[in-house]
Amino acid sequence: MSDKEETSDTTYLEDDTYGDPKTFDLNFKGPVAKRSCTDVLCCIIFILCIIGYIILGLLAWVHGDPRRVAYPTDSKGHFCGQKGTPNENKTILFYFNLFSCTSPSVVINLQCPTTQICVSKCPEKFLTYMEIQFTYRTNKNYWTYYSQFCKSTFVKPAKTLTQVLLDDDCPIAIFPSKPFLQRCFPDFSTKNGTLTVGNKTTFEDGSGKTRNAIELRAAANRVNKILDARTIGMKIFEDYATTWYWILLGLIIAMFLSWMFVILLRYIAGLLFWVFMVGVIGIIGYGIGHCYQEYCNLQGQPNSHLTVYDIGIQTDISMYFQLKQTWFTFMVILCLLEVFIILMLIFLRERIRISIALLKEGSKAIGYIPTTLVYPLLTFIFLSICISYWAVIAVYLATSGVPVYKVITPEGQCKHENTTCDPEIFNTTEIAKACPGAQCNFAFYGGKSLYHQYIPTFQIFNLFVFLWLINFVIALGQCALAGAFASYYWALKKPDDIPPYPLFTAFGRAIRYHTGSLAFGSLILASIQIFRIVLEYLDRHLKEAQNNISKFLQCCLKCCFWCLETVVKFLNRNAYIMIAIYGKNFCKSAREAFNLLMRNVLKVAVMDNVTDFVLILGKILVTGCIGVLAFLLFTQRLPTIIEGPTSLNYYWVPLLTVIIGSYLVAHGFFSVYAMCVDTIFICFLEDMERNDGSTERPYYMSQSLLKILNEPSMQTKKP
């Protein structure tokens, strides 16, 4: 409460932690109604950052072009398949000389040093330019077919092979190919254990040399290394396209299951707790049994004895599931988790009884304020908007700029290699004469303007404000829910004295008066998170250059920042509860919350953490039930009951999506419960310090919470 609202009816409690007296208003009857704006300076900075964020989005929208990510680009920087351009019907990228992709410059420039054009379809036969010249007089259809892979349409193949190589007008040879990731790649196949292309093992490359399929495969693999990530992405996209409705169904079931558990907690919290226990132990036991079965099935299988270190990093994740070591590791982890949960139940059996009383009280509060169960949906919408806006700006910033062209040579030995050039006049410059075979190909999108020079800074700003907004949305939800549940606790007669629309009122107070305080707490958390991201980035990019001492220091720093982030989240959460109740600024609220918890540290250890443990088990139960059903469905183990999707590239992709999504859904519902319990717990501690249980100053807490004190003579306040 502010100083102007304090009356003479006060009492003082000696703060044993710091020795400062704490002032109480004995007429306190719930969240303060008369408030003033807190942390105004931080509120102004937060609003200015949002305005700057919007301006950055407009700038990125003007300069960026996300089509540069969706469409392949030819050597001139033109998109393949873009509507309204000559390449509208030419959606596939074709390489003139794929053999040149074996050059070391491919890894450096991420570009193959050969001309690339957009075509409507890939070649389907073997043809060389020299063959066309001989057959043109008798059959012009061959040239008509061949000319579609040239830069421009020629009436006839009048140029010599030397002129074609110098002018780079046409490929000197084409091979049977198929479109892959909108690019023409050779049509490889295996015949009697031998690699072939179009049923041929050897062929002419158009320059008089005989090549084999293995050489062509090596060239194609160089390009594939650049596109591996996109390949996995396409397969994952196909799996999502096949299973999206199953994933949606799983999330809906998780929502109803979580909602049912939250409702049942009000009536049968004790029984439901043991349902959580048995269910979680049973699901983990099923996982242990399945891992053991898979481990036994791999006995005697070839290569199953290999380790993860032996096979290295593989893009095909399914290879790891063919190793005994993988399933043995999973089994050990699940066994340790099972033992940990059982030991927790044994040692915390008395404290669990106390946490169940808090859960029952929380269930009553949620029952009187049912709109709180809908609030996670609002938080989800806000978070979705923030994530979408951040992703769109990141893509637009990454695709900002104009096409930049660089000199590329097949051997990579020219002194002008990797310098910028102009493709329109390149053949007339000294570079073309000094470096025979050099080409001026598209490299990337960039620019020399002030905007383009600061794009990396804009990306960092985009990430920082994104983290700030995400933490602010979470803080806003916590403060709004805390205000609603505090109104319930301090109501004299429940539910008659609960103010109308408590959640809406608390949300309005948080936005109107405490945006600055919520932004302040979110800023501290976002700053720690950005430091953690920077440390992770440095660790990834400097891993090879680090010695053992620097690696150790790096691990210590990451561990310290993780601990700091966890502590700050805990303090922020309780500070938001105090803000919702008293309306003070962030620093005062955080200090008072910390002092209150320190004065009651034993009760915090008994009640708060054990309650969180119970709720976590509820989340695990919901996630485990949906995860087991999804596993049985996606692995075709329920054919007699229901037929799931077939021919998945990676069944674990939709499975992990369902598991993570179910956990987030359960977390959304149970987070309301956790916030309710935390708020009631803080109010409970305040109630204990303000009142003494006498007739003049009885407690506001309910009879169930009063039992926790084990003092039957104390009374609760009655109307």
Side-chain angles (χ1 to χ4, degrees):
M1 293 177 60
S2 60
D3 295 337
K4 63 182 180 181
E5 293 168 350
E6 291 183 2
T7 66
S8 59
D9 191 6
T10 59
T11 186
Y12 295 90
L13 173 71
E14 187 70 20
D15 188 340
D16 296 334
T17 305
Y18 297 98
D20 297 329
K22 180 176 177 62
T23 305
F24 287 127
D25 180 7
L26 299 181
N27 295 322
F28 179 80
K29 296 181 179 180
V32 175
K34 295 181 180 180
R35 301 176 181 234
S36 59
C37 296
T38 56
D39 296 305
V40 179
L41 179 60
C42 192
C43 179
I44 295 173
I45 296 174
F46 182 61
I47 293 174
L48 291 177
C49 280
I50 292 178
I51 294 173
Y53 202 31
I54 295 173
I55 294 174
L56 176 62
L58 294 175
L59 285 174
W61 182 75
V62 170
H63 292 88
D65 190 351
R67 293 174 301 178
R68 295 167 182 171
V69 179
Y71 299 104
T73 309
D74 64 11
S75 297
K76 301 301 180 184
H78 301 146
F79 299 128
C80 297
Q82 182 184 355
K83 293 183 178 180
T85 66
N87 291 333
E88 180 175 356
N89 297 322
K90 299 178 179 180
T91 60
I92 307 172
L93 191 67
F94 172 73
Y95 298 89
F96 269 25
N97 183 11
L98 199 60
F99 286 107
S100 63
C101 297
T102 56
S103 169
S105 63
V106 174
V107 179
I108 300 173
N109 301 310
L110 297 181
Q111 284 285 339
C112 186
T114 185
T115 301
Q116 303 163 34
I117 64 171
C118 301
V119 296
S120 57
K121 62 178 182 179
C122 295
E124 299 173 349
K125 59 183 73 175
F126 286 100
L127 282 175
T128 65
Y129 186 79
M130 295 179 65
E131 291 175 351
I132 294 298
Q133 286 184 311
F134 286 113
T135 59
Y136 174 73
R137 297 177 181 178
T138 57
N139 191 342
K140 297 182 180 180
N141 291 331
Y142 281 99
W143 171 246
T144 303
Y145 178 81
Y146 194 90
S147 62
Q148 64 181 321
F149 303 107
C150 297
K151 285 184 179 179
S152 57
T153 304
F154 297 96
V155 178
K156 58 182 180 179
K159 292 186 177 182
T160 63
L161 180 61
T162 304
Q163 289 176 319
V164 169
L165 289 172
L166 291 175
D167 298 338
D168 206 30
D169 289 327
C170 294
I172 59 175
I174 59 175
F175 318 105
S177 305
K178 286 185 177 180
F180 178 69
L181 297 178
Q182 293 182 277
R183 289 162 174 81
C184 289
F185 283 100
D187 184 12
F188 293 109
S189 60
T190 304
K191 188 176 182 180
N192 297 327
T194 304
L195 185 67
T196 63
V197 177
N199 294 324
K200 287 187 178 182
T201 56
T202 59
F203 46 86
E204 297 290 331
D205 67 352
S207 61
K209 296 182 180 179
T210 301
R211 303 275 191 164
N212 57 49
I214 296 177
E215 293 179 81
L216 191 60
R217 182 60 178 268
N221 283 341
R222 279 297 183 113
V223 182
N224 280 335
K225 286 182 179 179
I226 303 173
L227 304 174
D228 266 347
R230 190 170 178 180
T231 305
I232 297 175
M234 290 294 292
K235 290 183 178 179
I236 291 175
F237 178 79
E238 291 176 0
D239 290 339
Y240 279 133
T242 305
T243 60
W244 67 269
Y245 47 91
W246 293 107
I247 294 173
L248 183 61
L249 180 61
L251 297 182
I252 292 174
I253 295 175
M255 181 183 66
F256 279 106
L257 196 60
S258 303
W259 179 72
M260 182 185 68
F261 281 154
V262 168
I263 292 178
L264 290 177
L265 275 172
R266 181 182 180 184
Y267 303 102
I268 51 171
L271 176 62
L272 203 59
F273 168 76
W274 292 109
V275 172
F276 286 170
M277 299 301 103
V278 175
V280 169
I281 292 174
I283 289 174
I284 297 177
Y286 172 81
I288 295 173
H290 176 74
C291 292
Y292 179 75
Q293 183 181 4
E294 293 290 339
Y295 179 82
C296 294
N297 292 338
L298 289 174
Q299 293 284 358
Q301 295 291 331
N303 300 326
S304 64
H305 63 282
L306 297 177
T307 64
V308 175
Y309 178 80
D310 293 331
I311 66 173
I313 299 176
Q314 300 291 332
T315 56
D316 186 4
I317 308 297
S318 61
M319 293 185 63
Y320 295 107
F321 295 102
Q322 300 173 9
L323 305 178
K324 292 193 299 182
Q325 184 193 54
T326 302
W327 294 106
F328 181 77
T329 304
F330 287 160
M331 184 172 62
V332 171
I333 293 174
L334 291 176
C335 287
L336 292 176
L337 182 60
E338 186 92 320
V339 172
F340 172 76
I341 292 176
I342 293 174
L343 290 177
M344 289 288 287
L345 291 176
I346 294 174
F347 289 106
L348 299 178
R349 59 187 182 276
E350 292 298 327
R351 297 180 180 181
I352 288 173
R353 180 184 60 84
I354 300 174
S355 68
I356 289 176
L358 274 175
L359 290 174
K360 289 181 178 179
E361 191 67 20
S363 299
K364 293 179 183 178
I366 294 175
Y368 288 134
I369 314 176
T371 52
T372 53
L373 290 178
V374 184
Y375 193 86
L377 179 61
L378 184 62
T379 301
F380 174 77
I381 293 173
F382 286 156
L383 292 178
S384 299
I385 293 173
C386 293
I387 294 172
S388 301
Y389 190 77
W390 165 77
V392 169
I393 289 183
V395 171
Y396 271 88
L397 285 175
T399 57
S400 296
V402 295
V404 176
Y405 303 88
K406 290 194 174 185
V407 177
I408 297 177
T409 55
E411 301 300 327
Q413 297 177 352
C414 176
K415 63 179 181 179
H416 301 287
E417 174 77 14
N418 222 26
T419 58
T420 56
C421 57
D422 186 351
E424 301 296 332
I425 60 173
F426 178 73
N427 291 332
T428 61
T429 61
E430 294 296 328
I431 298 178
K433 298 177 182 178
C435 304
Q439 297 180 10
C440 182
N441 284 356
F442 166 79
F444 55 87
Y445 291 95
K448 297 182 180 180
S449 67
L450 186 64
Y451 168 79
H452 295 103
Q453 292 176 3
Y454 282 94
I455 283 180
T457 305
F458 292 150
Q459 289 283 22
I460 296 175
F461 177 77
N462 179 31
L463 178 61
F464 178 75
V465 180
F466 164 72
L467 293 174
W468 196 356
L469 286 173
I470 289 292
N471 288 300
F472 177 82
V473 169
I474 296 173
L476 178 61
Q478 292 175 344
C479 190
L481 291 172
F485 293 128
S487 299
Y488 159 82
Y489 184 93
W490 296 106
L492 188 62
K493 183 179 180 182
K494 303 175 179 63
D496 297 337
D497 290 345
I498 298 177
Y501 311 111
L503 180 60
F504 179 79
T505 303
F507 181 83
R509 281 200 304 258
I511 287 290
R512 181 178 178 182
Y513 297 109
H514 307 302
T515 297
S517 297
L518 300 180
F520 190 13
S522 305
L523 176 62
I524 297 173
L525 195 55
S527 301
I528 297 173
Q529 290 170 344
I530 200 71
F531 273 113
R532 288 190 63 195
I533 293 174
V534 170
L535 284 174
E536 191 66 32
Y537 176 83
L538 294 175
D539 185 44
R540 288 176 179 270
H541 287 75
L542 301 177
K543 186 170 292 185
E544 296 182 357
Q546 291 178 344
N547 54 32
N548 293 332
I549 297 177
S550 60
K551 288 180 180 179
F552 174 75
L553 293 176
Q554 190 85 355
C555 291
C556 291
L557 282 175
K558 289 195 290 186
C559 181
C560 290
F561 273 99
W562 178 83
C563 295
L564 180 61
E565 181 181 353
T566 304
V567 171
V568 169
K569 283 182 178 179
F570 175 77
L571 293 177
N572 281 7
R573 185 183 183 91
N574 291 283
Y576 298 147
I577 296 175
M578 301 298 282
I579 290 172
I581 298 175
Y582 296 109
K584 296 182 180 181
N585 62 37
F586 177 81
C587 292
K588 289 183 179 179
S589 299
R591 183 186 62 190
E592 291 184 1
F594 178 77
N595 291 346
L596 179 64
L597 295 174
M598 288 298 101
R599 289 194 299 269
N600 300 273
V601 65
L602 294 179
K603 293 184 177 66
V604 172
V606 170
M607 301 180 205
D608 198 40
N609 294 332
V610 178
T611 304
D612 288 341
F613 172 69
V614 174
L615 294 178
I616 288 174
L617 290 178
K619 298 175 190 178
I620 294 175
L621 179 60
V622 173
T623 306
C625 291
I626 304 300
V628 169
L629 291 176
F631 174 77
L632 297 176
L633 179 69
F634 293 139
T635 55
Q636 297 294 307
R637 296 173 188 249
L638 295 174
T640 57
I641 303 175
I642 185 172
E643 184 176 356
T646 57
S647 66
L648 294 177
N649 295 303
Y650 310 113
Y651 76 86
W652 52 266
V653 170
L655 176 61
L656 287 180
T657 304
V658 170
I659 292 175
I660 295 173
S662 299
Y663 180 82
L664 293 177
V665 169
H667 178 73
F669 279 89
F670 284 97
S671 64
V672 174
Y673 225 110
M675 200 65 207
C676 178
V677 171
D678 287 347
T679 304
I680 291 176
F681 182 59
I682 291 291
C683 294
F684 168 72
L685 296 179
E686 285 282 302
D687 195 9
M688 288 177 57
E689 293 189 348
R690 288 178 177 278
N691 305 299
D692 56 9
S694 62
T695 306
E696 294 78 15
R697 290 166 55 194
Y699 291 113
Y700 275 84
M701 66 190 74
S702 64
Q703 291 290 342
S704 59
L705 285 179
L706 188 60
K707 292 179 181 178
I708 297 177
L709 297 175
N710 292 323
E711 295 185 25
S713 60
M714 297 182 180
Q715 301 177 11
T716 56
K717 183 168 286 190
K718 297 181 181 180

